[in-house]
mmCIF file of all heavy atoms in Angstrom:
data_model
loop_
_atom_site.group_PDB
_atom_site.id
_atom_site.type_symbol
_atom_site.label_atom_id
_atom_site.label_comp_id
_atom_site.label_asym_id
_atom_site.label_seq_id
_atom_site.Cartn_x
_atom_site.Cartn_y
_atom_site.Cartn_z
ATOM 1 N N GLU A 225 -12.151 -15.462 14.010
ATOM 2 C CA GLU A 225 -12.741 -15.777 15.311
ATOM 3 C C GLU A 225 -14.263 -15.719 15.258
ATOM 4 O O GLU A 225 -14.945 -16.473 15.947
ATOM 5 C CB GLU A 225 -12.215 -14.801 16.371
ATOM 6 C CG GLU A 225 -12.654 -15.142 17.785
ATOM 7 C CD GLU A 225 -11.925 -14.313 18.845
ATOM 8 O OE1 GLU A 225 -10.760 -13.937 18.620
ATOM 9 O OE2 GLU A 225 -12.532 -14.040 19.898
ATOM 10 N N GLU A 226 -14.801 -14.829 14.434
ATOM 11 C CA GLU A 226 -16.253 -14.649 14.371
ATOM 12 C C GLU A 226 -16.828 -15.199 13.072
ATOM 13 O O GLU A 226 -17.781 -14.640 12.516
ATOM 14 C CB GLU A 226 -16.599 -13.151 14.507
ATOM 15 C CG GLU A 226 -16.026 -12.465 15.735
ATOM 16 C CD GLU A 226 -16.564 -13.024 17.047
ATOM 17 O OE1 GLU A 226 -17.556 -13.778 17.013
ATOM 18 O OE2 GLU A 226 -15.984 -12.717 18.105
ATOM 19 N N ASN A 227 -16.261 -16.293 12.585
ATOM 20 C CA ASN A 227 -16.696 -16.802 11.280
ATOM 21 C C ASN A 227 -18.149 -17.262 11.286
ATOM 22 O O ASN A 227 -18.812 -17.265 10.257
ATOM 23 C CB ASN A 227 -15.769 -17.919 10.795
ATOM 24 C CG ASN A 227 -15.781 -19.135 11.700
ATOM 25 O OD1 ASN A 227 -16.697 -19.937 11.659
ATOM 26 N ND2 ASN A 227 -14.766 -19.264 12.534
ATOM 27 N N GLU A 228 -18.658 -17.627 12.454
ATOM 28 C CA GLU A 228 -20.067 -18.023 12.526
ATOM 29 C C GLU A 228 -20.972 -16.840 12.200
ATOM 30 O O GLU A 228 -21.942 -16.966 11.445
ATOM 31 C CB GLU A 228 -20.397 -18.562 13.920
ATOM 32 C CG GLU A 228 -21.834 -19.075 14.041
ATOM 33 C CD GLU A 228 -22.153 -19.576 15.436
ATOM 34 O OE1 GLU A 228 -21.207 -19.836 16.206
ATOM 35 O OE2 GLU A 228 -23.339 -19.708 15.744
ATOM 36 N N ALA A 229 -20.623 -15.675 12.749
ATOM 37 C CA ALA A 229 -21.408 -14.469 12.457
ATOM 38 C C ALA A 229 -21.224 -14.038 11.012
ATOM 39 O O ALA A 229 -22.121 -13.443 10.403
ATOM 40 C CB ALA A 229 -20.997 -13.341 13.405
ATOM 41 N N LEU A 230 -20.046 -14.344 10.450
ATOM 42 C CA LEU A 230 -19.782 -14.011 9.049
ATOM 43 C C LEU A 230 -20.657 -14.838 8.116
ATOM 44 O O LEU A 230 -21.055 -14.380 7.046
ATOM 45 C CB LEU A 230 -18.293 -14.249 8.745
ATOM 46 C CG LEU A 230 -17.809 -13.990 7.326
ATOM 47 C CD1 LEU A 230 -17.960 -12.524 6.970
ATOM 48 C CD2 LEU A 230 -16.351 -14.413 7.178
ATOM 49 N N GLY A 231 -20.976 -16.065 8.546
ATOM 50 C CA GLY A 231 -21.814 -16.916 7.714
ATOM 51 C C GLY A 231 -21.024 -17.805 6.779
ATOM 52 O O GLY A 231 -21.596 -18.530 5.966
ATOM 53 N N TYR A 232 -19.676 -17.766 6.864
ATOM 54 C CA TYR A 232 -18.839 -18.651 6.066
ATOM 55 C C TYR A 232 -18.409 -19.819 6.945
ATOM 56 O O TYR A 232 -18.734 -19.887 8.119
ATOM 57 C CB TYR A 232 -17.603 -17.911 5.549
ATOM 58 C CG TYR A 232 -17.888 -16.824 4.520
ATOM 59 C CD1 TYR A 232 -16.877 -16.025 4.028
ATOM 60 C CD2 TYR A 232 -19.176 -16.603 4.039
ATOM 61 C CE1 TYR A 232 -17.115 -15.031 3.086
ATOM 62 C CE2 TYR A 232 -19.430 -15.616 3.101
ATOM 63 C CZ TYR A 232 -18.403 -14.831 2.632
ATOM 64 O OH TYR A 232 -18.650 -13.864 1.712
ATOM 65 N N ASP A 233 -17.627 -20.716 6.357
ATOM 66 C CA ASP A 233 -17.192 -21.873 7.132
ATOM 67 C C ASP A 233 -15.843 -21.649 7.806
ATOM 68 O O ASP A 233 -15.237 -22.573 8.326
ATOM 69 C CB ASP A 233 -17.116 -23.122 6.242
ATOM 70 C CG ASP A 233 -16.187 -22.924 5.047
ATOM 71 O OD1 ASP A 233 -15.451 -21.912 5.028
ATOM 72 O OD2 ASP A 233 -16.181 -23.769 4.147
ATOM 73 N N GLY A 234 -15.376 -20.404 7.786
ATOM 74 C CA GLY A 234 -14.097 -20.092 8.414
ATOM 75 C C GLY A 234 -12.935 -20.147 7.446
ATOM 76 O O GLY A 234 -11.872 -19.594 7.704
ATOM 77 N N LYS A 235 -13.117 -20.789 6.298
ATOM 78 C CA LYS A 235 -12.053 -20.896 5.303
ATOM 79 C C LYS A 235 -12.298 -19.918 4.161
ATOM 80 O O LYS A 235 -12.346 -20.300 3.003
ATOM 81 C CB LYS A 235 -11.969 -22.326 4.765
ATOM 82 C CG LYS A 235 -11.546 -23.351 5.800
ATOM 83 C CD LYS A 235 -11.492 -24.742 5.194
ATOM 84 C CE LYS A 235 -11.086 -25.778 6.236
ATOM 85 N NZ LYS A 235 -11.075 -27.150 5.690
ATOM 86 N N PHE A 236 -12.468 -18.660 4.509
ATOM 87 C CA PHE A 236 -12.698 -17.665 3.468
ATOM 88 C C PHE A 236 -11.383 -17.350 2.756
ATOM 89 O O PHE A 236 -10.293 -17.477 3.312
ATOM 90 C CB PHE A 236 -13.302 -16.388 4.056
ATOM 91 C CG PHE A 236 -12.479 -15.732 5.123
ATOM 92 C CD1 PHE A 236 -11.514 -14.802 4.801
ATOM 93 C CD2 PHE A 236 -12.681 -16.040 6.467
ATOM 94 C CE1 PHE A 236 -10.753 -14.193 5.774
ATOM 95 C CE2 PHE A 236 -11.919 -15.436 7.453
ATOM 96 C CZ PHE A 236 -10.955 -14.512 7.110
ATOM 97 N N VAL A 237 -11.495 -16.937 1.498
ATOM 98 C CA VAL A 237 -10.331 -16.575 0.705
ATOM 99 C C VAL A 237 -10.345 -15.070 0.503
ATOM 100 O O VAL A 237 -11.396 -14.460 0.356
ATOM 101 C CB VAL A 237 -10.323 -17.322 -0.646
ATOM 102 C CG1 VAL A 237 -11.561 -16.994 -1.470
ATOM 103 C CG2 VAL A 237 -9.067 -16.994 -1.451
ATOM 104 N N ILE A 238 -9.156 -14.460 0.514
ATOM 105 C CA ILE A 238 -9.042 -13.014 0.308
ATOM 106 C C ILE A 238 -8.667 -12.763 -1.141
ATOM 107 O O ILE A 238 -7.619 -13.217 -1.611
ATOM 108 C CB ILE A 238 -7.973 -12.400 1.232
ATOM 109 C CG1 ILE A 238 -8.280 -12.700 2.701
ATOM 110 C CG2 ILE A 238 -7.883 -10.892 1.018
ATOM 111 C CD1 ILE A 238 -7.158 -12.326 3.652
ATOM 112 N N PHE A 239 -9.511 -12.057 -1.862
ATOM 113 C CA PHE A 239 -9.236 -11.704 -3.249
ATOM 114 C C PHE A 239 -8.428 -10.407 -3.297
ATOM 115 O O PHE A 239 -8.814 -9.412 -2.688
ATOM 116 C CB PHE A 239 -10.542 -11.507 -4.024
ATOM 117 C CG PHE A 239 -11.163 -12.790 -4.511
ATOM 118 C CD1 PHE A 239 -10.639 -14.023 -4.173
ATOM 119 C CD2 PHE A 239 -12.279 -12.754 -5.341
ATOM 120 C CE1 PHE A 239 -11.213 -15.203 -4.622
ATOM 121 C CE2 PHE A 239 -12.862 -13.926 -5.800
ATOM 122 C CZ PHE A 239 -12.327 -15.151 -5.441
ATOM 123 N N ASP A 240 -7.311 -10.434 -4.032
ATOM 124 C CA ASP A 240 -6.553 -9.206 -4.230
ATOM 125 C C ASP A 240 -7.127 -8.449 -5.424
ATOM 126 O O ASP A 240 -8.142 -8.854 -6.012
ATOM 127 C CB ASP A 240 -5.056 -9.494 -4.399
ATOM 128 C CG ASP A 240 -4.753 -10.337 -5.643
ATOM 129 O OD1 ASP A 240 -5.609 -10.419 -6.553
ATOM 130 O OD2 ASP A 240 -3.654 -10.918 -5.701
ATOM 131 N N GLN A 241 -6.477 -7.339 -5.802
ATOM 132 C CA GLN A 241 -7.049 -6.498 -6.853
ATOM 133 C C GLN A 241 -7.171 -7.241 -8.177
ATOM 134 O O GLN A 241 -8.161 -7.085 -8.901
ATOM 135 C CB GLN A 241 -6.217 -5.229 -7.038
ATOM 136 C CG GLN A 241 -6.884 -4.238 -7.990
ATOM 137 C CD GLN A 241 -6.138 -2.933 -8.082
ATOM 138 O OE1 GLN A 241 -4.920 -2.899 -8.048
ATOM 139 N NE2 GLN A 241 -6.858 -1.832 -8.207
ATOM 140 N N GLY A 242 -6.158 -8.061 -8.506
ATOM 141 C CA GLY A 242 -6.240 -8.828 -9.742
ATOM 142 C C GLY A 242 -7.425 -9.772 -9.746
ATOM 143 O O GLY A 242 -8.118 -9.933 -10.762
ATOM 144 N N ASP A 243 -7.689 -10.403 -8.619
ATOM 145 C CA ASP A 243 -8.823 -11.328 -8.512
ATOM 146 C C ASP A 243 -10.154 -10.605 -8.715
ATOM 147 O O ASP A 243 -11.027 -11.080 -9.453
ATOM 148 C CB ASP A 243 -8.838 -12.008 -7.141
ATOM 149 C CG ASP A 243 -7.604 -12.864 -6.892
ATOM 150 O OD1 ASP A 243 -7.141 -13.509 -7.843
ATOM 151 O OD2 ASP A 243 -7.116 -12.871 -5.748
ATOM 152 N N VAL A 244 -10.313 -9.455 -8.038
ATOM 153 C CA VAL A 244 -11.614 -8.774 -8.122
ATOM 154 C C VAL A 244 -11.813 -8.137 -9.484
ATOM 155 O O VAL A 244 -12.950 -8.045 -9.978
ATOM 156 C CB VAL A 244 -11.796 -7.747 -6.985
ATOM 157 C CG1 VAL A 244 -11.809 -8.440 -5.642
ATOM 158 C CG2 VAL A 244 -10.738 -6.671 -7.002
ATOM 159 N N LEU A 245 -10.728 -7.707 -10.128
ATOM 160 C CA LEU A 245 -10.863 -7.195 -11.498
ATOM 161 C C LEU A 245 -11.332 -8.310 -12.427
ATOM 162 O O LEU A 245 -12.181 -8.088 -13.305
ATOM 163 C CB LEU A 245 -9.530 -6.622 -11.987
ATOM 164 C CG LEU A 245 -9.133 -5.254 -11.431
ATOM 165 C CD1 LEU A 245 -7.700 -4.910 -11.833
ATOM 166 C CD2 LEU A 245 -10.093 -4.168 -11.903
ATOM 167 N N GLY A 246 -10.785 -9.522 -12.231
ATOM 168 C CA GLY A 246 -11.229 -10.657 -13.031
ATOM 169 C C GLY A 246 -12.686 -10.992 -12.784
ATOM 170 O O GLY A 246 -13.441 -11.287 -13.723
ATOM 171 N N LEU A 247 -13.117 -10.918 -11.529
ATOM 172 C CA LEU A 247 -14.513 -11.196 -11.187
ATOM 173 C C LEU A 247 -15.437 -10.161 -11.824
ATOM 174 O O LEU A 247 -16.474 -10.503 -12.410
ATOM 175 C CB LEU A 247 -14.680 -11.198 -9.669
ATOM 176 C CG LEU A 247 -16.094 -11.403 -9.119
ATOM 177 C CD1 LEU A 247 -16.695 -12.707 -9.630
ATOM 178 C CD2 LEU A 247 -16.082 -11.386 -7.589
ATOM 179 N N LEU A 248 -15.057 -8.890 -11.723
ATOM 180 C CA LEU A 248 -15.882 -7.835 -12.331
ATOM 181 C C LEU A 248 -15.931 -7.979 -13.851
ATOM 182 O O LEU A 248 -16.970 -7.732 -14.475
ATOM 183 C CB LEU A 248 -15.332 -6.460 -11.961
ATOM 184 C CG LEU A 248 -15.672 -5.955 -10.557
ATOM 185 C CD1 LEU A 248 -14.906 -4.682 -10.249
ATOM 186 C CD2 LEU A 248 -17.172 -5.709 -10.421
ATOM 187 N N ARG A 249 -14.821 -8.398 -14.436
ATOM 188 C CA ARG A 249 -14.793 -8.580 -15.894
ATOM 189 C C ARG A 249 -15.817 -9.635 -16.308
ATOM 190 O O ARG A 249 -16.542 -9.466 -17.301
ATOM 191 C CB ARG A 249 -13.378 -8.987 -16.319
ATOM 192 C CG ARG A 249 -13.167 -8.981 -17.835
ATOM 193 C CD ARG A 249 -11.699 -9.260 -18.174
ATOM 194 N NE ARG A 249 -10.848 -8.147 -17.772
ATOM 195 C CZ ARG A 249 -9.953 -8.206 -16.791
ATOM 196 N NH1 ARG A 249 -9.809 -9.328 -16.086
ATOM 197 N NH2 ARG A 249 -9.213 -7.165 -16.495
ATOM 198 N N GLU A 250 -15.914 -10.707 -15.544
ATOM 199 C CA GLU A 250 -16.884 -11.762 -15.855
ATOM 200 C C GLU A 250 -18.315 -11.259 -15.686
ATOM 201 O O GLU A 250 -19.195 -11.562 -16.495
ATOM 202 C CB GLU A 250 -16.650 -12.966 -14.949
ATOM 203 C CG GLU A 250 -15.392 -13.743 -15.278
ATOM 204 C CD GLU A 250 -15.331 -15.065 -14.533
ATOM 205 O OE1 GLU A 250 -16.313 -15.387 -13.834
ATOM 206 O OE2 GLU A 250 -14.326 -15.772 -14.675
ATOM 207 N N ILE A 251 -18.557 -10.499 -14.625
ATOM 208 C CA ILE A 251 -19.906 -9.971 -14.388
ATOM 209 C C ILE A 251 -20.321 -9.038 -15.516
ATOM 210 O O ILE A 251 -21.450 -9.107 -16.025
ATOM 211 C CB ILE A 251 -19.957 -9.238 -13.031
ATOM 212 C CG1 ILE A 251 -19.743 -10.223 -11.878
ATOM 213 C CG2 ILE A 251 -21.286 -8.511 -12.863
ATOM 214 C CD1 ILE A 251 -19.562 -9.553 -10.531
ATOM 215 N N LEU A 252 -19.398 -8.181 -15.941
ATOM 216 C CA LEU A 252 -19.726 -7.199 -16.979
ATOM 217 C C LEU A 252 -19.943 -7.857 -18.331
ATOM 218 O O LEU A 252 -20.716 -7.357 -19.152
ATOM 219 C CB LEU A 252 -18.610 -6.153 -17.074
ATOM 220 C CG LEU A 252 -18.539 -5.180 -15.884
ATOM 221 C CD1 LEU A 252 -17.234 -4.406 -15.897
ATOM 222 C CD2 LEU A 252 -19.722 -4.214 -15.922
ATOM 223 N N ARG A 253 -19.253 -8.985 -18.572
ATOM 224 C CA ARG A 253 -19.446 -9.697 -19.844
ATOM 225 C C ARG A 253 -20.891 -10.144 -20.017
ATOM 226 O O ARG A 253 -21.406 -10.221 -21.132
ATOM 227 C CB ARG A 253 -18.542 -10.938 -19.887
ATOM 228 C CG ARG A 253 -17.136 -10.672 -20.352
ATOM 229 C CD ARG A 253 -16.483 -11.967 -20.826
ATOM 230 N NE ARG A 253 -15.039 -11.826 -20.833
ATOM 231 C CZ ARG A 253 -14.230 -12.411 -19.959
ATOM 232 N NH1 ARG A 253 -14.743 -13.182 -19.020
ATOM 233 N NH2 ARG A 253 -12.930 -12.243 -20.026
ATOM 234 N N GLN A 254 -21.555 -10.434 -18.924
ATOM 235 C CA GLN A 254 -22.903 -10.991 -18.994
ATOM 236 C C GLN A 254 -23.968 -9.940 -19.328
ATOM 237 O O GLN A 254 -24.990 -10.265 -19.908
ATOM 238 C CB GLN A 254 -23.243 -11.663 -17.665
ATOM 239 C CG GLN A 254 -22.322 -12.827 -17.324
ATOM 240 C CD GLN A 254 -22.500 -13.318 -15.897
ATOM 241 O OE1 GLN A 254 -23.499 -13.014 -15.260
ATOM 242 N NE2 GLN A 254 -21.521 -14.056 -15.390
ATOM 243 N N GLY A 255 -23.723 -8.692 -18.974
ATOM 244 C CA GLY A 255 -24.775 -7.698 -19.192
ATOM 245 C C GLY A 255 -24.387 -6.507 -20.024
ATOM 246 O O GLY A 255 -25.220 -5.647 -20.314
ATOM 247 N N HIS A 256 -23.103 -6.406 -20.413
ATOM 248 C CA HIS A 256 -22.646 -5.241 -21.173
ATOM 249 C C HIS A 256 -21.840 -5.726 -22.362
ATOM 250 O O HIS A 256 -20.894 -6.493 -22.212
ATOM 251 C CB HIS A 256 -21.810 -4.318 -20.285
ATOM 252 C CG HIS A 256 -22.575 -3.798 -19.103
ATOM 253 N ND1 HIS A 256 -23.313 -2.642 -19.143
ATOM 254 C CD2 HIS A 256 -22.734 -4.306 -17.857
ATOM 255 C CE1 HIS A 256 -23.882 -2.450 -17.955
ATOM 256 N NE2 HIS A 256 -23.547 -3.444 -17.167
ATOM 257 N N ASP A 257 -22.216 -5.253 -23.553
ATOM 258 C CA ASP A 257 -21.615 -5.782 -24.769
ATOM 259 C C ASP A 257 -20.523 -4.880 -25.327
ATOM 260 O O ASP A 257 -20.134 -5.007 -26.472
ATOM 261 C CB ASP A 257 -22.697 -6.008 -25.835
ATOM 262 C CG ASP A 257 -23.471 -4.725 -26.152
ATOM 263 O OD1 ASP A 257 -23.169 -3.677 -25.535
ATOM 264 O OD2 ASP A 257 -24.361 -4.784 -27.016
ATOM 265 N N ARG A 258 -20.034 -3.917 -24.537
ATOM 266 C CA ARG A 258 -18.974 -3.069 -25.065
ATOM 267 C C ARG A 258 -17.882 -2.882 -24.020
ATOM 268 O O ARG A 258 -18.038 -3.223 -22.860
ATOM 269 C CB ARG A 258 -19.528 -1.704 -25.499
ATOM 270 C CG ARG A 258 -20.140 -0.904 -24.377
ATOM 271 C CD ARG A 258 -20.820 0.333 -24.926
ATOM 272 N NE ARG A 258 -21.273 1.219 -23.865
ATOM 273 C CZ ARG A 258 -20.506 2.076 -23.214
ATOM 274 N NH1 ARG A 258 -19.226 2.163 -23.511
ATOM 275 N NH2 ARG A 258 -20.995 2.847 -22.265
ATOM 276 N N SER A 259 -16.783 -2.330 -24.479
ATOM 277 C CA SER A 259 -15.620 -2.185 -23.610
ATOM 278 C C SER A 259 -15.859 -1.136 -22.530
ATOM 279 O O SER A 259 -16.360 -0.043 -22.796
ATOM 280 C CB SER A 259 -14.404 -1.791 -24.451
ATOM 281 O OG SER A 259 -13.285 -1.559 -23.644
ATOM 282 N N LEU A 260 -15.513 -1.495 -21.301
ATOM 283 C CA LEU A 260 -15.634 -0.572 -20.180
ATOM 284 C C LEU A 260 -14.326 -0.575 -19.393
ATOM 285 O O LEU A 260 -13.579 -1.548 -19.419
ATOM 286 C CB LEU A 260 -16.781 -1.004 -19.249
ATOM 287 C CG LEU A 260 -18.205 -0.846 -19.785
ATOM 288 C CD1 LEU A 260 -19.180 -1.614 -18.906
ATOM 289 C CD2 LEU A 260 -18.598 0.628 -19.837
ATOM 290 N N ASP A 261 -14.060 0.521 -18.725
ATOM 291 C CA ASP A 261 -12.889 0.619 -17.855
ATOM 292 C C ASP A 261 -13.244 -0.073 -16.533
ATOM 293 O O ASP A 261 -13.904 0.511 -15.672
ATOM 294 C CB ASP A 261 -12.530 2.094 -17.629
ATOM 295 C CG ASP A 261 -11.248 2.267 -16.820
ATOM 296 O OD1 ASP A 261 -10.854 1.320 -16.125
ATOM 297 O OD2 ASP A 261 -10.660 3.355 -16.889
ATOM 298 N N ILE A 262 -12.791 -1.322 -16.386
ATOM 299 C CA ILE A 262 -13.156 -2.107 -15.205
ATOM 300 C C ILE A 262 -12.557 -1.497 -13.947
ATOM 301 O O ILE A 262 -13.162 -1.530 -12.874
ATOM 302 C CB ILE A 262 -12.701 -3.576 -15.382
ATOM 303 C CG1 ILE A 262 -13.417 -4.170 -16.600
ATOM 304 C CG2 ILE A 262 -13.023 -4.404 -14.143
ATOM 305 C CD1 ILE A 262 -12.932 -5.544 -16.980
#
Side-chain angles (χ1 to χ4, degrees):
E225 186 170 329
E226 306 296 347
N227 63 78
E228 184 181 343
L230 179 64
Y232 292 176
D233 57 11
K235 294 180 181 178
F236 58 88
V237 60
I238 303 170
F239 278 5
D240 63 18
Q241 188 175 37
D243 297 322
V244 296
L245 284 171
L247 177 57
L248 282 172
R249 190 174 291 112
E250 288 191 4
I251 294 171
L252 289 167
R253 275 200 200 108
Q254 298 169 17
H256 300 271
D257 57 359
R258 62 188 187 81
S259 176
L260 290 166
D261 185 340
I262 299 173

